[in-house]
Structure formats: structure tokens, C-alpha cells
Amino acid sequence: MIRKSDITKLTALTLLLSATGFAQEEAATTEQLQNNINIVWTLVAATLVMFMQPGFAMLEAGLVQAKNSVNILMKNLMDFCIGSVMFFIIGFGLMFGSSTSTGGWLGTDYFMLHGITGGADWTYTFWMFQVVFAATAATIVSGAVAGRIKFHSYLIYCVAICAFIYPIFGKWAWGSLLNDNGAGWLEGKGFIDFAGSTVVHSIGGWLALAGAIVAGVRIGKYDKNGKPKAILGHSIPMAALGVFILWFGWFGFNAGSTTTGDGEIGRVAVTTNLAAVAGAIGAMITSWILFKKPEATMTLNGVIAGLVSITAGCYTVTPIGSLAIGLIGGVLVVFSVLFIERVLKIDDPVGAISAHGVCGAWGTLACGVFGAEAVLGIGDANTGFLYGGGFSQFGVQFLGVIAAFIWAFGTGMALFTAIKYTVGIRVSPEVEREGLDTHEHGIPAYTHDMGEEAPMVPVID
Amino acid sequence: MIRKSDITKLTALTLLLSATGFAQEEAATTEQLQNNINIVWTLVAATLVMFMQPGFAMLEAGLVQAKNSVNILMKNLMDFCIGSVMFFIIGFGLMFGSSTSTGGWLGTDYFMLHGITGGADWTYTFWMFQVVFAATAATIVSGAVAGRIKFHSYLIYCVAICAFIYPIFGKWAWGSLLNDNGAGWLEGKGFIDFAGSTVVHSIGGWLALAGAIVAGVRIGKYDKNGKPKAILGHSIPMAALGVFILWFGWFGFNAGSTTTGDGEIGRVAVTTNLAAVAGAIGAMITSWILFKKPEATMTLNGVIAGLVSITAGCYTVTPIGSLAIGLIGGVLVVFSVLFIERVLKIDDPVGAISAHGVCGAWGTLACGVFGAEAVLGIGDANTGFLYGGGFSQFGVQFLGVIAAFIWAFGTGMALFTAIKYTVGIRVSPEVEREGLDTHEHGIPAYTHDMGEEAPMVPVID
Amino acid sequence: MIRKSDITKLTALTLLLSATGFAQEEAATTEQLQNNINIVWTLVAATLVMFMQPGFAMLEAGLVQAKNSVNILMKNLMDFCIGSVMFFIIGFGLMFGSSTSTGGWLGTDYFMLHGITGGADWTYTFWMFQVVFAATAATIVSGAVAGRIKFHSYLIYCVAICAFIYPIFGKWAWGSLLNDNGAGWLEGKGFIDFAGSTVVHSIGGWLALAGAIVAGVRIGKYDKNGKPKAILGHSIPMAALGVFILWFGWFGFNAGSTTTGDGEIGRVAVTTNLAAVAGAIGAMITSWILFKKPEATMTLNGVIAGLVSITAGCYTVTPIGSLAIGLIGGVLVVFSVLFIERVLKIDDPVGAISAHGVCGAWGTLACGVFGAEAVLGIGDANTGFLYGGGFSQFGVQFLGVIAAFIWAFGTGMALFTAIKYTVGIRVSPEVEREGLDTHEHGIPAYTHDMGEEAPMVPVID
């Protein structure tokens, strides 16, 4: 990035060479080159984040029953489709438009990308990066309500979250990212959520919590004594593929959130990766202790837990800090899944509430614990209490976590309840037992025509 | 990009500083930096487009029967392999070589990348970007002829399309992309096909039409009264993964077609994404109305339809224009699939003719309707009739669409008919019934050894 | 890249303009821009290489039985997790730390990224690129020992390879990549292995050989007369997806190994792609001749063989040279698989020893045959004997190949034998027969709940 001191010197050169008419152009060119580097990096990152959609789709489809897998895929597909349109029309403007007149609570322009001038305007790239974040928030919910809610009710939910619920909270925390007139009230207090542990993941997670509560538990999930029964996912390889894709995309999610192509992106990628691996290790060990086996779905959720946990602090913590944050996230997700299933008796088929809601909150708070700008040589603010920064940053983080819970869980309960008592939220017991795929979409996920007398034995000698 | 006016000023500086011997080097460096940004962006985009190969492979394999899925994967793999070699030896030269002597109908150099000097020559990166386009055109056909044609006949087809059919049309529309001496006759008329709705997708789609006609329908596709029967795809999750991968790769396909790393790529990504989501929505609503259900495979094809439709105009239409283009594409693909299956009675197992051929034509024409360079601030040519540009651009687009149909369908019919009456095109009915996988490749797609007494019940308490 | 001659001229300009205080800053900025381009490119490449993990996971899971597929996925996941942590703590320092004091045999600093100053230090990006290479070396082994070794024994192995075995050989061949004080003894002799045919793939392949020998053959692999029986992979589409993902990631692996964003990356991508397609063609034709059918898994392995073979020479051979190298690699892998299975009677379920060990050695030697720097206009060293360079380069390559075999196979035998006689390496026959998934991880890969009376017939009229 061009520092201000450079610009002063640039001006000196401009004066010296102004007779040639060249200097000003040259200065612009240097800045333009860095802008172009930023644009290439940010668009590549946006593309990676977009690819998280099939990551979620494969993870969730793998963890539900075969009879409901087309339905969950359609939900993952359509939330991105509906979400993109709504974010284009309304959401982006609410989130990044000027908000001085609303005290940092709501944006008031940029609707339908109105007012952009010039085909190469940065706003296009920025919009592309942001729309995939909005879709991520939306898609988190689909897993938690899998196997039981109506397709058209889900579409209504998508309209609400991508047009209003997500972008309004986003304004509070990230409103100034596009222009200085857009600052939100929460970022004004120094709230840190670099890539969205709270803004994207907790918001999605608490909406998922509301959805799972209102939708109720799947038939057969609990026996008459309230004891939970495992309803196994139909394809663990599919779920594993989904997790790997999400991990891949997360490099765009976190390192892309710099929206600047310089050396900082390498560091963010390092913390992101270390937290992911620590999350997997943490969850694997925890499941090994609890169940006597390194359980696969818990370990996979551990990767997600690590990634969600580091998302807020990926820019401001050290590599060692990221290992600690991810490890704790990995342990946390196992206990949270068990607590939600066995104590709260809420049915979350893929563990989305734990991985995104709970770990998102943890990761946001962790910025107040492990923040280490001075150690990293990147500044002197945002110091966590482990690095001598006291508890003020932790307090701000706590405020943001609470605000996110109140906003997302509150609006989520209102929204799902409204849907429940209008168009209805739950499919009939018959449809649920026979599977949503054929009833809602007219097609089964799988057919098995392997040919007449398909050889199941070696055919090459 | 360095504008010509900059270069004039650059020359002034060169004169001023020439005593130091530095200025010329410095100017080169600034230009070189942008070149390097362009190279990085274009190569990343090429890599994304290459990844569309497994996108097509998964989509097509998911939509055919399990007994033919290895065969379709092998075809998708080998068309890229054969295609890369043929495009290296012949195709690239025909498409991008100098063509002044042939009136813009055929290129005459660059065969086997001959004549490239210097290890960092742009031509390498450009070749990589173009070879994956050629492979895309080839692979479109595989789905339309799935489940019934011989493997070695398919390989012959791949040689012809990547060496001759695709690159010759490519020359006409895109010949000048590498050097000014390569301009094709169609681009000389002002034909717009920014990333290949016609050059890649319609060419592939019309070849697919020829192939499906010559190959004939699969056994059991139509009953005695000519009524079509659905032959369900064996894995909708696999098909859905394929569509998501294609969508991901399409950001490289469209935004990469600028081959320049600047702000325009963000805008192209926005129009690409909006058309994709609108295509899905259009197809979903149409299927919902027609079948009373939001049908999954039609919705998936809607994504492809939206993407193919915006490929020609992604650079010259507004975001709102792209929504309209994609939406219409999504509606169109459903009716086209039904028309081809029920009226024309041509058996296209994956809907390739509709998604690529028909929507490619629509997208190309749409440039003459929605073109809006002046509105976007990127120029003043190519104005569609909705923006006051009259029908001249539409006329040129129509010419290109017709030329593509005549060329691809014509050569395709000749090619597949020649194959049919020489080496043969169709497998025996016995092979077709038992599946191409074991007969043609010696291996079934799936075996199901889940272990002795594999527990289908929860195993963790 | 800034050449030295440029720097001299830069100094002249610095003197001329030093009065303004600007020149030095401007020079830094120009260099910084190229650095930023390099960082963006290298990090994107690292992300692509990271994505090779699911490539290996899908390939290996597809090629093993369904009952062992969760286990192989967990191994692929956890080797990256354990490997990242060990490489962070120890491996990276051994590989890239200063090694003047150890004569180029061991690095002595950079442990836990200690000593990095500044949040934008190149070392972060470089670490991210290198850690995914280390994980690749580790994960190669998992396929060769699939279906029979204990999970916790595998984890111990991962610690050893990523902390010590891989990085120590890496130091010898690549030690100077981060700093001049880190040069290894083998690179001092002029050994060429641009992206790791030997450093990554052969090392992984020879470790796999040791593992497969110590682990022994799977139950039922050979009959009483020692005749091998094919144990078919459970999902060829999954394996094919894995191969395509690996191919995609390999553009990062090879072209990213320049760690510089300039035109050379395009050329490296071209040679990489041509070798991959030639490998597939070579393996397909070979299998067609031997088995009378174009066999699918051999063809898929041919892609990997071509890619591994070109990895050493991707920067220094011509496109035509890369076709030859890949084609030979594709032929070689088929014969090697048959030789290892039928003559050596070593059980390698996925062909990892052949694809990575044998083809890695071939590719490394091929640099001494096809090296063509002068022809490419990139230098005058490293000329292979086909281009008049005599046999000196071939001799150095041969030395490196032998050193890699002795080191990796030697330490591998010691390691796996030590594991065997301490914690044990092999699961019980009962577990092997029933599958590792339920016994080791408490979960089957698949359940098949398609709903009550799931329709296997068309459901849309």
C-alpha cells in the first residue's frame, strides 16, 4: 500500500518533472498497479469463497440421509441464488451504503449497484467478494433445519436474511469497508472481527439455532425417554470432500478479507491453516477420549470449528496464538454438539449451531485474549489480555458477541415463527418419513442401475 | 493497461532521462509489472477453466446411469487429453496464427508453439488459457451422446474438433486476440462474443446435436408410441457438485477472458454471477409451474443456462441486463429440453444441446439487445437496441449465430456420419444394456463391500 | 524479476533524483509491486496445492473398498493436520534454516517461524507454500498402506516424516530457496528438481514402498499360488474426481514453484499440462494393448504419472520434451504397477509407489536428458544430453535419485519396523475383514436410507 509519507515524496517528484507532463500519470500508474494487484487478489479470493457453497452442500448432503440429500443440495443452491439477488437489490446498500444519517445503523445508497461510475470501479470486485459472504451466512442455516422443513419456506427465509438480517448486522461491524461515510456503530467502539467469526458465522449459527428450535426435532431423533439416537449421514466421503472444499475456500475468506495483495495475506493464510489443523486435532482427541475412537464426523467438524474460530482474529494473532484458538475451538465443538443434542435436546443434523454459532463467538472473544499487533509488528492497538492489553478489548468483543446473538436469534425466532404460522414450516410426517427428495423435488438422489448382471468381481485378469 | 497517450508522455520522460540510461528500463518495468499482473490473472483463470473439466465430468456422470458412468468419465478425461495434443499441434495455429493471407479464414503459423522466443513469452500463458476453452467445446458433446457410442469413435471425434472444427470457427470470431495479423472475417464485422457463448458453447452444442442425431436414441428411451421415458441420473449429488464446479470455473472463463488484471474483471464476475443465479431461478420457477415441483435437474441446468447465456455479453451488459439475460436463459433451457425430447425426439441425456447450443445462441443475440457500453462508461460501440442502438448489432450477432450453426452442425453431421460408416459409432444392444463400463473399460463404477455384517445402525452410543 | 543490470541503472537514477528524497522510495515501490505480485501468485499457488489433499483423499478413497474409505479419508486429513504442526515446529527450520554450520545437511533456525519481523514478511507466504508440499509427501504413503494399518501408527509415521524425513532431504536439494545461508549439499552439485519429482514424490513413494513392505499384503490379495487378485476400488467416479483435483492443484505445485509472478509461469503450466495429457494417453494405450481395453484406473494413474514425471523438469524442458517425458511416464506406470504387484508381490492398493516413486525418479533423470535452457532462451546451464549437454547433468540427477532412495527407503524401513515392534502396525484380521471404518472410527462410510419405498422409477411424467 502507498503510505502517506510516500505520497508527499511523490508530490515532490511531480513538481520536479511536471514540465514533461509525465509525472502525474506515472504516479497514478504506480498506485493503479497496486490497485490492480488488489483487484486480482480480491476477485480470486471471492471465487474461492464462492466455492465454499459446494463445500457446505457436500458437507450437509453427506451428513443427512440419502432420502433428503437432493433437498439439502437444492437449498444450498437456491440460498445462493435468492441471496445474490436480494443482496444486489437491498442488502449491499444497507450494509455498505452511507450511514452517517442513521448513526451507523443502516446504509442508504448503493442499492442495485446504483451510482457506480466506470466499468473498472472497485465496487464491482468488492460486491463480488461481499455477496459470497452473505450467501455463506444464509447457507449455514440449511444444515440445522435439514430433513424436515418445506422448501418454499426456506426460500422465504433466504430473502429475509440476505436482504435484511445479515446486512444490517454487517453494517454495524463492517460498514466503513467501502467508504468512510458508512461506519457502523459497533466498529466505532473498536470491535474486531477481521473476516467474520461473528458477522458471518455467529449470525448464521444463531439463525440456525432459531430455525432448529422452531422447526422441532426430526421424527425418530429422540426415543420415548428423550434419549437421542444417531441418524447417520449417508456419505462420509461426501462430507469429507465438503470439509476440504471449505478449507480451500477459507483461504479466500480470511486472507481475501485484507482486500489487498501484499505480504499480510501470507500471514493470514498461516494463522488460518494452523487453526484449522489444530481444530481437527482438538476435536479428534476429544472424541477419542469420550468415545474411545477418533470419530470421523467430529474430527471433520473440528476443522470447521478451527476455521470459524480463527476468522475474527486471523489478522491480529500470532501463529502460536492461532494454534491455541483452533485447538480450543476443536474441543469446544465436540462438547457443544453433545450439549445441544443431549441437554438442550435441539436437533441440529450437521452441528451447524456449534461449529458456526458457538465457535464464532469463541473466536470473536479470542481476539481480546490473543490479539498481538505489537508482537507482529503491525500496529499497537487491539492487544489481548495475554499480551498485556488488559480487558478493554475483550469487553468490546463481548459486546459484539452479545449484540449478534440478540439480533440474529431474535430476528430468527420472529422470522421462523412468522413462517410457521403463515405458509407453514414443517413437512408432513409422511413426507418426512419417505424423504423430501421425491416429494418436494420429484427425483431421488440415487438410482442403482449397474447393468444387467453387473459384475462385482474383477473383470481384468 | 498503458494507454497510447501514456506512451507519448513516457517518451518525453525517456528523452529527459536518457543520459542516465535508466529511463527506458524504468518504463519497461512499469509496463512489465502490468504484464505480470495480467499473466498471473490469466493463468489463474486458465486453471479455473481447466477445473471445469471435472465439472462437466461430475455433471454428466451424475446424470447418466451408474453402468455408464466410468465411460463418461473416461470420455471427459480423454477429450481433454487428445484435445490438448491436437490443439498444440494444429488447432492453436489455425485459430491464432497469422491469417492475412487467408482473408481471416485460417491461421498459418504458431503450430506446436513454433517461433516463440523467450521463456517468459505471453504466448505460453495465452495458449494455456485457450487450450482449456478448446477442451470445453469438445467435452460438451460427450453428455449428449452418453450411454451408447463407442469409446474409440469418441476419440476420433475429439481429434477432429480440437484440431479443426473448433479452431477454425474460433479464427473467424477471435483470431486477432494474439496478434493483429490474425483477425478473422466475423470479428471484422463487429461480432461480439466476449467469452464464447457461440465460439465455445454453441459450437459444442450444435456438434452435440449432430452427434445425438447420428447416434440415435438409447434403448428404452421412447416407448412404442414414441412417448419419452425418463432415464434417471444415478447420482444427483454428483451432478450438483459438477454444476457448482462449473460455476466456480466460469469466473475464470468469463472474467479471465479480459486477459488483463484490472477492475473490469470484477464487473465481469458480477454479471456472470447474477446471470447464473437468475438462470437457476428462471428454470426452477418454470419447472415448478410445469411439473408442480421445483425439479432438481432442471434447476441445475438453469445455472448452466444462465452462465452460457451471459458468456457472450458479460463485458458489455449491465448487472440488471445480466439478470434479464440469465432469467430468460433459465426459462429457455426448460422448454428447449422438453422440445428436443418430446417434439424432435432426440435423446440428449444431460440436456447439453439446450444448455449450450440454444442458450449460447440466445446469449449471443442478447448482446444486440442489452449491450450498454456507454451506460457502463467503457466505450460507445456495441449498443443493443434496448439502449437505443438500433438493430445493426443484433444483425451482426444473428449472422454469427447462423454461421456457427451451419459450420458446427454441418461438419458435425459429416464427421459423425463418416465415423458411423467406417469404424462404427454405436455399441451393440447387449453392451448398451449391460453398461459400457465393464464392456468398454473392464471395470464397474462401484462395488459395495462395506465389510461383513456392516452396521447400518448407530455405532457410537 | 529485477535483473542486476537494472539495479545499476536504478542507482544512477537514485543519484540523479536524490535531492527530492523520492528516488529511493520509488525504486522500493517498483520492487515492492513485483514482490506483491509474487506474493499473490505464490499464495494462490499454495492454496491450489493445499487442494491436492482432497485430490489424494478422493483418489485413494475411491480406489479402496467402501469399508475402509472413512479410514483413508481420516488418514489423508490427519496427515495434513499433524504434518502442518510438525513442519511448523521443526521441519521448516530443518529444511530452510541456515545450514552453513552443518555443511548443508541440516537447517538450524526458523523453528516455529521464530525471528520473522514484520507482518508482511515473505517468509509467511513461503511457509504456506512449503507446508502443503510437506503434507503432499506425507499423504502419498497413505494409499500404499491402505486397508490394513492402525490409525494411531499412521499418526506416528506422520510426525516423523513431516518433522524429519521430508525436510532433511528437502534441505539437501532446496535449502537455499529462502536464504543464501541455507544451501544444501545436493543443490551445490547442480541437482535440478524444480518442483519436487524427487524431493516430494520419490521421497513419498519410497516411504510408501517401505510401508507397504512392512505392513504386508491385504488378506485375500494373493491366492495360495501367489497369484494376485484385483480388489476393486469402491467408486471410480470418486477416484476420477480425485485425479482431476490433483491435476488442478498441480498447476500451483509446478508453476507456483517459480514463486515469481511473471511469464515463466505460463510456460511451466504448458509443460505441466502437456505431460499430464501425454501420461494419460501413454497409460491408456499401454493398458489397451495389454488388457484389450482402455482400462480406467490405469489411465487415471497415467495422469498422475505424467504430472509426477514433469515436476522436476517443468521449468527447463520444451513443450515437446514435456510430451515425451509424460508419455514415457504413462507407459512406465502401467508396467511398474504390474511388476510390483506380480513380481515383487508388494500390495499397493492405489499404485502410489509406481506413480510417485518410480515416475518421480524417471522425471528427475529426464532433466538430464531433455534439459533445454538454451533452446528456451532462459539460460545456458542444465543442458540434457539430447540437446548436446553430455552426461554430466544426468550424472548429478542420478546421484540425487539414489540419495533419495537410500534416505527415504532406509529411514522408512527403520521407522515402520520400529512402529511394528512397539505400538504395532497391522490391525487384526477380524478388523481387516469387517473394515477399518467401523472398528477404528465408529462409523460406516455409507448408509442407504432412501426413504420407505423409494421410487426407483421416473417420478415426473
Side-chain angles (χ1 to χ4, degrees):
Chain A
M1 283 182 286
I2 302 281
R3 289 189 302 277
K4 278 196 180 147
S5 59
D6 292 340
I7 293 172
T8 314
K9 289 168 186 170
L10 225 57
T11 310
L13 183 68
T14 305
L15 294 172
L16 176 75
L17 298 181
S18 59
T20 68
F22 174 73
Q24 206 148 7
E25 288 293 314
E26 168 67 351
T29 301
T30 303
E31 193 183 348
Q32 184 59 37
L33 286 169
Q34 183 62 52
N35 282 346
N36 287 350
I37 295 170
N38 298 347
I39 284 164
V40 168
W41 165 244
T42 304
L43 191 63
V44 170
T47 305
L48 291 171
V49 180
M50 178 269 155
F51 200 51
M52 290 171 67
Q53 293 291 320
F56 281 109
M58 293 293 110
L59 172 58
E60 295 177 13
L63 292 183
V64 303
Q65 293 153 286
K67 68 182 179 184
N68 296 325
S69 55
V70 171
N71 179 261
I72 202 79
L73 290 165
M74 282 289 283
K75 285 176 181 161
N76 272 279
L77 174 63
M78 294 314 300
D79 59 34
F80 186 33
C81 295
I82 304 280
S84 287
V85 174
M86 297 318 298
F87 196 70
F88 175 69
I89 299 176
I90 302 175
F92 184 77
L94 290 180
M95 189 157 168
F96 296 108
S98 303
S99 55
T100 317
S101 65
T102 64
W105 288 79
L106 283 176
T108 55
D109 48 17
Y110 284 119
F111 300 110
M112 303 182 83
L113 286 172
H114 190 74
I116 309 305
T117 51
D121 191 299
W122 160 251
T123 311
Y124 289 110
T125 300
F126 185 74
W127 186 88
M128 195 63 229
F129 191 68
Q130 291 300 332
V131 73
V132 289
F133 274 61
T136 300
T139 214
I140 287 166
V141 178
S142 58
V145 296
R148 56 208 196 274
I149 81 166
K150 292 179 180 173
F151 184 67
H152 63 261
S153 307
Y154 185 78
L155 299 185
I156 294 169
Y157 147 81
C158 291
V159 169
I161 183 172
C162 291
F164 303 106
I165 299 175
Y166 168 77
I168 290 173
F169 188 84
K171 158 59 68 188
W172 303 350
W174 287 353
S176 69
L177 291 184
L178 184 61
N179 71 86
D180 291 341
N181 293 328
W185 68 269
L186 199 49
E187 64 184 326
K189 295 187 186 299
F191 179 63
I192 298 176
D193 185 10
F194 188 71
S197 284
T198 285
V199 174
V200 179
H201 295 282
S202 277
I203 291 290
W206 305 140
L207 282 162
L209 175 63
I213 290 172
V214 176
V217 304
R218 286 171 294 174
I219 297 171
K221 176 63 194 173
Y222 293 90
D223 67 15
K224 279 162 191 167
N225 305 315
K227 192 163 173 257
K229 286 163 48 179
I231 299 177
L232 294 180
H234 88 285
S235 175
I236 303 304
M238 190 180 288
L241 175 63
V243 167
F244 275 116
I245 291 175
L246 286 167
W247 194 338
F248 174 59
W250 227 290
F251 289 105
F253 204 93
N254 283 6
S257 288
T258 65
T259 63
T260 304
D262 64 14
E264 312 278 12
I265 64 179
R267 185 167 50 79
V268 173
V270 169
T271 56
T272 299
N273 194 62
L274 287 176
V277 306
I281 292 170
M284 183 186 73
I285 292 174
T286 308
S287 75
W288 214 329
I289 293 168
L290 293 179
F291 308 129
K292 317 295 177 221
K293 290 177 198 292
E295 207 272 331
T297 59
M298 286 294 186
T299 307
L300 291 171
N301 256 330
V303 175
I304 308 301
L307 288 164
V308 170
S309 299
I310 197 60
T311 295
C314 55
Y315 190 83
T316 50
V317 305
T318 66
I320 291 171
S322 72
L323 279 171
I325 290 171
L327 191 74
I328 294 169
V331 174
L332 199 58
V333 79
V334 177
F335 285 104
S336 176
V337 162
L338 296 175
F339 182 78
I340 287 171
E341 183 191 57
R342 300 184 182 185
V343 180
L344 298 185
K345 298 200 189 299
I346 293 168
D347 183 14
D348 176 2
V350 307
I353 303 165
S354 302
H356 298 279
V358 174
C359 290
W362 154 241
T364 307
L365 296 174
C367 294
V369 181
F370 293 95
E373 287 198 2
V375 174
L376 292 164
I378 57 169
D380 52 10
N382 313 138
T383 307
F385 64 74
L386 278 186
Y387 292 86
F391 285 86
S392 68
Q393 187 65 45
F394 190 86
V396 175
Q397 300 301 105
F398 190 75
L399 173 66
V401 166
I402 294 296
F405 183 83
I406 292 171
W407 172 252
F409 185 68
T411 57
M413 287 300 291
L415 172 64
F416 284 110
T417 305
I419 290 172
K420 181 175 179 177
Y421 291 107
T422 52
V423 296
I425 199 165
R426 185 95 183 214
V427 298
S428 73
E430 183 205 3
V431 170
E432 189 175 337
R433 268 190 290 262
E434 296 185 359
L436 277 67
D437 291 359
T438 50
H439 279 274
E440 293 253 85
H441 305 288
I443 197 166
Y446 302 99
T447 63
H448 297 287
D449 185 358
M450 292 285 287
E452 293 162 15
E453 302 175 49
M456 285 297 113
V457 292
V459 286
I460 286 181
D461 200 52
Chain B
M1 285 182 287
I2 300 282
R3 289 188 304 274
K4 280 193 180 147
S5 60
D6 292 338
I7 292 172
T8 315
K9 289 170 185 168
L10 227 55
T11 310
L13 184 66
T14 305
L15 293 171
L16 177 73
L17 299 181
S18 59
T20 68
F22 174 73
Q24 206 149 5
E25 289 295 314
E26 168 67 351
T29 300
T30 304
E31 193 182 346
Q32 184 60 37
L33 285 170
Q34 182 62 52
N35 283 345
N36 287 350
I37 295 169
N38 298 346
I39 284 164
V40 167
W41 166 243
T42 304
L43 191 64
V44 170
T47 305
L48 290 172
V49 180
M50 176 270 155
F51 201 51
M52 290 170 67
Q53 292 291 321
F56 280 109
M58 292 293 110
L59 173 57
E60 295 178 14
L63 291 183
V64 304
Q65 293 153 286
K67 67 182 180 184
N68 297 325
S69 56
V70 171
N71 180 261
I72 202 80
L73 290 165
M74 282 290 282
K75 285 175 180 160
N76 272 279
L77 174 63
M78 293 315 299
D79 60 33
F80 186 34
C81 294
I82 304 281
S84 288
V85 175
M86 298 317 300
F87 196 70
F88 174 70
I89 298 176
I90 302 175
F92 184 77
L94 290 180
M95 189 157 170
F96 295 108
S98 303
S99 56
T100 318
S101 65
T102 65
W105 288 79
L106 284 176
T108 56
D109 50 16
Y110 284 120
F111 301 110
M112 302 182 82
L113 286 172
H114 190 73
I116 309 305
T117 52
D121 192 300
W122 160 249
T123 311
Y124 289 110
T125 300
F126 184 73
W127 186 87
M128 194 64 229
F129 191 67
Q130 291 299 331
V131 73
V132 289
F133 274 61
T136 300
T139 214
I140 287 167
V141 178
S142 59
V145 296
R148 55 209 197 272
I149 80 164
K150 292 178 179 173
F151 184 67
H152 63 262
S153 308
Y154 184 79
L155 299 185
I156 294 169
Y157 147 81
C158 291
V159 170
I161 184 172
C162 291
F164 302 107
I165 300 176
Y166 167 78
I168 290 174
F169 188 84
K171 159 58 68 186
W172 304 349
W174 287 354
S176 70
L177 291 184
L178 183 60
N179 69 87
D180 292 340
N181 293 329
W185 69 267
L186 199 49
E187 63 184 326
K189 295 187 186 299
F191 179 63
I192 299 176
D193 185 9
F194 187 71
S197 283
T198 286
V199 175
V200 178
H201 294 281
S202 277
I203 291 289
W206 304 140
L207 283 162
L209 175 63
I213 289 173
V214 176
V217 304
R218 285 170 296 173
I219 297 171
K221 176 62 194 174
Y222 293 91
D223 67 16
K224 281 160 189 168
N225 304 314
K227 191 164 174 254
K229 286 163 49 179
I231 299 177
L232 292 181
H234 89 284
S235 175
I236 302 304
M238 190 180 289
L241 175 62
V243 166
F244 276 116
I245 291 175
L246 285 167
W247 193 339
F248 174 60
W250 226 291
F251 288 105
F253 203 93
N254 283 7
S257 288
T258 65
T259 63
T260 305
D262 65 13
E264 310 279 11
I265 64 178
R267 185 167 50 78
V268 174
V270 169
T271 56
T272 299
N273 194 63
L274 287 176
V277 306
I281 292 169
M284 182 187 75
I285 292 173
T286 308
S287 75
W288 213 330
I289 293 168
L290 294 178
F291 308 129
K292 317 293 176 225
K293 290 176 199 292
E295 206 273 331
T297 60
M298 286 296 186
T299 307
L300 292 172
N301 257 330
V303 175
I304 308 299
L307 288 164
V308 171
S309 299
I310 196 61
T311 296
C314 55
Y315 190 83
T316 51
V317 305
T318 65
I320 290 170
S322 71
L323 278 171
I325 290 171
L327 191 73
I328 294 169
V331 174
L332 199 58
V333 78
V334 177
F335 285 105
S336 176
V337 163
L338 295 175
F339 182 77
I340 288 172
E341 183 190 59
R342 299 184 182 184
V343 180
L344 300 184
K345 299 201 187 298
I346 294 168
D347 183 12
D348 176 3
V350 306
I353 303 165
S354 302
H356 298 278
V358 174
C359 289
W362 155 241
T364 306
L365 296 174
C367 294
V369 181
F370 293 95
E373 288 198 2
V375 174
L376 292 164
I378 57 170
D380 52 10
N382 313 137
T383 306
F385 65 75
L386 277 186
Y387 292 85
F391 285 86
S392 68
Q393 186 65 46
F394 189 87
V396 175
Q397 300 301 105
F398 190 75
L399 173 66
V401 166
I402 295 296
F405 182 83
I406 292 172
W407 172 251
F409 185 69
T411 56
M413 286 302 289
L415 172 65
F416 284 109
T417 305
I419 291 173
K420 181 175 179 177
Y421 291 107
T422 52
V423 296
I425 199 165
R426 184 93 183 218
V427 297
S428 73
E430 183 205 3
V431 170
E432 190 175 336
R433 268 190 290 261
E434 295 186 358
L436 278 68
D437 291 359
T438 50
H439 279 273
E440 294 253 84
H441 305 290
I443 197 166
Y446 302 99
T447 63
H448 296 288
D449 184 358
M450 291 286 288
E452 294 162 14
E453 302 176 50
M456 286 296 114
V457 292
V459 286
I460 287 181
D461 200 52
Chain C
M1 282 182 288
I2 301 281
R3 290 189 301 277
K4 279 194 180 148
S5 60
D6 291 341
I7 292 172
T8 314
K9 289 169 185 169
L10 225 57
T11 310
L13 184 67
T14 304
L15 294 172
L16 177 74
L17 298 182
S18 59
T20 67
F22 174 72
Q24 206 149 5
E25 287 295 313
E26 168 66 353
T29 301
T30 304
E31 193 183 346
Q32 184 60 35
L33 286 169
Q34 183 61 52
N35 282 345
N36 287 350
I37 295 169
N38 298 347
I39 284 164
V40 167
W41 166 243
T42 304
L43 191 64
V44 170
T47 305
L48 290 172
V49 181
M50 177 270 154
F51 200 51
M52 290 171 67
Q53 293 291 321
F56 281 108
M58 291 294 110
L59 173 57
E60 296 178 11
L63 291 183
V64 303
Q65 293 153 286
K67 67 182 179 184
N68 297 325
S69 55
V70 171
N71 180 260
I72 202 79
L73 290 165
M74 281 289 282
K75 285 175 181 160
N76 272 279
L77 173 64
M78 293 315 300
D79 60 34
F80 186 33
C81 294
I82 303 281
S84 288
V85 174
M86 297 317 299
F87 197 70
F88 174 69
I89 298 176
I90 302 176
F92 184 77
L94 290 181
M95 188 158 170
F96 296 109
S98 303
S99 56
T100 317
S101 63
T102 65
W105 289 79
L106 284 176
T108 55
D109 48 17
Y110 284 120
F111 301 109
M112 302 183 82
L113 286 172
H114 190 73
I116 311 304
T117 51
D121 191 301
W122 159 250
T123 311
Y124 289 111
T125 300
F126 184 74
W127 186 88
M128 195 63 229
F129 191 66
Q130 292 300 331
V131 72
V132 289
F133 274 61
T136 300
T139 213
I140 286 167
V141 178
S142 59
V145 296
R148 55 207 197 274
I149 79 166
K150 291 179 180 173
F151 184 67
H152 63 263
S153 308
Y154 185 79
L155 299 185
I156 294 169
Y157 147 81
C158 291
V159 169
I161 185 172
C162 291
F164 302 106
I165 300 175
Y166 168 78
I168 289 174
F169 188 83
K171 158 58 68 186
W172 304 349
W174 287 354
S176 69
L177 291 184
L178 184 60
N179 70 87
D180 291 340
N181 293 329
W185 68 268
L186 198 50
E187 63 183 328
K189 296 185 186 300
F191 179 64
I192 299 176
D193 184 10
F194 188 70
S197 283
T198 286
V199 175
V200 179
H201 295 281
S202 277
I203 290 290
W206 306 140
L207 284 162
L209 175 63
I213 289 172
V214 176
V217 304
R218 285 170 295 174
I219 296 171
K221 176 63 194 173
Y222 293 91
D223 67 15
K224 279 160 191 168
N225 304 315
K227 190 162 174 256
K229 287 163 47 179
I231 298 176
L232 293 181
H234 88 284
S235 175
I236 303 303
M238 190 180 289
L241 175 63
V243 167
F244 275 116
I245 290 176
L246 285 167
W247 194 339
F248 173 60
W250 228 291
F251 288 105
F253 203 94
N254 283 6
S257 287
T258 65
T259 62
T260 305
D262 65 13
E264 312 279 12
I265 65 178
R267 184 167 51 79
V268 173
V270 169
T271 56
T272 299
N273 194 61
L274 287 177
V277 305
I281 292 170
M284 182 186 74
I285 292 174
T286 307
S287 75
W288 212 329
I289 293 169
L290 294 178
F291 308 129
K292 317 294 176 222
K293 290 177 198 292
E295 206 274 331
T297 59
M298 286 296 186
T299 308
L300 293 172
N301 257 330
V303 175
I304 307 300
L307 289 164
V308 171
S309 299
I310 196 61
T311 296
C314 54
Y315 190 83
T316 51
V317 305
T318 66
I320 290 171
S322 72
L323 279 171
I325 290 171
L327 191 71
I328 294 170
V331 175
L332 199 59
V333 78
V334 177
F335 285 104
S336 176
V337 162
L338 295 176
F339 182 78
I340 287 172
E341 183 189 56
R342 298 184 184 186
V343 180
L344 298 184
K345 298 201 188 299
I346 294 167
D347 182 13
D348 176 3
V350 306
I353 302 165
S354 301
H356 298 278
V358 174
C359 290
W362 154 241
T364 306
L365 296 174
C367 294
V369 181
F370 293 95
E373 287 197 3
V375 174
L376 291 164
I378 58 170
D380 52 10
N382 314 136
T383 307
F385 66 74
L386 278 186
Y387 292 85
F391 285 86
S392 67
Q393 186 66 46
F394 190 86
V396 174
Q397 299 303 104
F398 190 75
L399 174 66
V401 165
I402 294 297
F405 182 83
I406 293 172
W407 172 252
F409 184 69
T411 56
M413 286 301 290
L415 171 65
F416 283 110
T417 306
I419 291 173
K420 182 175 178 177
Y421 291 107
T422 51
V423 296
I425 198 165
R426 184 92 183 218
V427 297
S428 73
E430 181 206 4
V431 170
E432 190 176 337
R433 267 191 290 262
E434 295 186 1
L436 278 68
D437 291 359
T438 50
H439 279 275
E440 293 254 85
H441 305 289
I443 196 166
Y446 301 100
T447 62
H448 296 288
D449 185 356
M450 291 285 287
E452 293 161 15
E453 302 176 50
M456 285 296 112
V457 292
V459 287
I460 286 180
D461 201 51

